[in-house]
Amino acid sequence: MTSKSKHREPRPSDKHTMFTPLEKSGFVPLYFQIQSQLTQKIREGFMRAGEALPGEAELSRIFGVSRMTSRQALQGLKSEGLAVRERGRGTFVAEPKVEKDIATRMGFTAEMRALGKKATAQELIRKTVPADPQIAERLELAPGALVFMLRRLRFADGKPLAIEEAFLPLERMPGIEQVDFSVNSLYETLQGRYNIRFGTVDEIIEARAATKEEASALKVPTRSSLLVISSSLRDEASRPIEVGQSLYRGDLYRAVLHFSAGS
């Protein structure tokens, strides 16, 4: 026996002794009682991200219920974003989702800093190009005017979370193409180097499946769900300074909106 005992992860049997019997004569559905107990285990850290949850048959044995009831409990966890199903392997505790407040305009770096995470970036594309008609119109530029295009893969604590693409008018930001945005924040550069003060932003939020290339970059299966936010950012004088699109992993991101309710 060593002088220092090692921390031991709980065995499945240890965890199952932590479940409490169901109230089968009450008004709360049995599946919801099971779901609530599993939710509590996850939120208290007893079951951690990436860890396998008991399967339908196992839950049926533990609680003395049908497999249909167990299946409903696991489906409820998936609907809440607390569990993910992997075909052929089982159901696992999901990674906690990053909440993106769409009512507040923050760059990725600032968002991750607020969450206590380290933001990093990998430049995928950086180039100066003539604006196509759609980009020129959104930036209120003459057709063919030069814009700086930047596409980056964004990481939080080393995990790929998003692909960001931005187009910026070169005439307002001379020399921006020389900035290394693998180590510099785009928005902090606009504010600090070019003294731009942000005004309004228009955003369109959609969901779609990841392409093969996007899935490869984000380390998710092809056709995984993405949260897509297309944006147009203006300064305090209402001049357009950036149009772009951000693709967020649907398994790790969710959009939230906080506002005051009317009377």
Side-chain angles (χ1 to χ4, degrees):
M1 181 180 295
T2 60
S3 58
K4 181 183 291 186
S5 61
K6 294 183 177 180
H7 172 72
R8 179 178 63 83
E9 291 294 328
R11 298 190 303 269
S13 58
D14 296 330
K15 293 177 179 177
H16 300 168
T17 62
M18 297 297 293
F19 292 116
T20 58
L22 304 181
E23 179 53 63
K24 296 188 177 182
S25 61
F27 295 102
V28 181
L30 298 180
Y31 82 88
F32 189 76
Q33 293 184 49
I34 298 172
Q35 179 183 333
S36 297
Q37 290 198 39
L38 291 170
T39 297
Q40 183 179 7
K41 295 285 185 292
I42 293 170
R43 296 201 187 283
E44 292 178 351
F46 197 71
M47 292 180 172
R48 299 172 183 171
E51 188 172 340
L53 289 164
E56 294 174 12
E58 199 169 0
L59 288 174
S60 297
R61 288 194 299 270
I62 295 169
F63 292 104
V65 297
S66 69
R67 291 192 62 158
M68 175 62 73
T69 298
S70 298
R71 186 176 304 125
Q72 285 181 287
L74 292 173
Q75 182 60 48
L77 287 179
K78 289 189 287 183
S79 297
E80 289 187 2
L82 295 175
V84 291
R85 173 76 179 174
E86 295 186 14
R87 183 171 297 180
R89 297 190 62 221
T91 304
F92 297 81
V93 179
E95 292 281 349
K97 287 196 174 185
V98 174
E99 291 193 346
K100 179 175 180 60
D101 186 351
I102 58 175
T104 303
R105 185 60 176 179
M106 296 175 67
F108 187 90
T109 300
E111 284 182 344
M112 294 303 107
R113 185 184 298 131
L115 294 169
K117 299 179 181 292
K118 181 181 180 181
T120 52
Q122 174 188 343
E123 290 188 352
L124 302 177
I125 298 177
R126 55 152 43 237
K127 59 183 179 181
T128 300
V129 296
D132 65 29
Q134 183 182 17
I135 295 296
E137 180 180 5
R138 293 174 66 190
L139 286 175
E140 299 178 5
L141 299 172
L146 292 180
V147 295
F148 176 57
M149 174 188 175
L150 177 65
R151 183 182 298 159
R152 293 180 295 173
L153 180 61
R154 306 309 308 268
F155 301 82
D157 292 340
K159 182 185 293 292
L161 290 190
I163 297 172
E164 294 182 334
E165 183 174 86
F167 293 88
L168 303 106
L170 273 180
E171 64 182 24
R172 292 202 58 200
M173 304 155 196
I176 194 169
E177 72 277 11
Q178 300 171 10
V179 179
D180 183 357
F181 287 107
S182 65
V183 294
N184 290 287
S185 163
L186 175 60
Y187 282 6
E188 290 175 5
T189 297
L190 295 181
Q191 292 172 313
R193 179 167 178 166
Y194 297 100
N195 198 33
I196 291 174
R197 297 294 173 258
F198 299 156
T200 61
V201 61
D202 295 319
E203 293 187 338
I204 298 174
I205 303 174
E206 301 173 295
R208 68 166 173 81
T211 66
K212 182 178 180 180
E213 293 74 17
E214 292 164 351
S216 176
L218 292 170
K219 308 298 183 187
V220 296
T222 302
R223 300 200 60 76
S224 292
S225 175
L226 297 179
L227 177 68
V228 183
I229 301 181
S230 301
S231 61
S232 297
L233 178 63
R234 292 175 177 268
D235 64 12
E236 290 182 329
S238 196
R239 294 174 298 184
I241 56 175
E242 180 221 21
V243 298
Q245 185 178 79
S246 298
L247 312 176
Y248 298 97
R249 284 177 53 168
D251 61 329
L252 295 179
Y253 255 95
R254 63 182 176 187
V256 297
L257 179 61
H258 302 286
F259 58 91
S260 298
S263 58

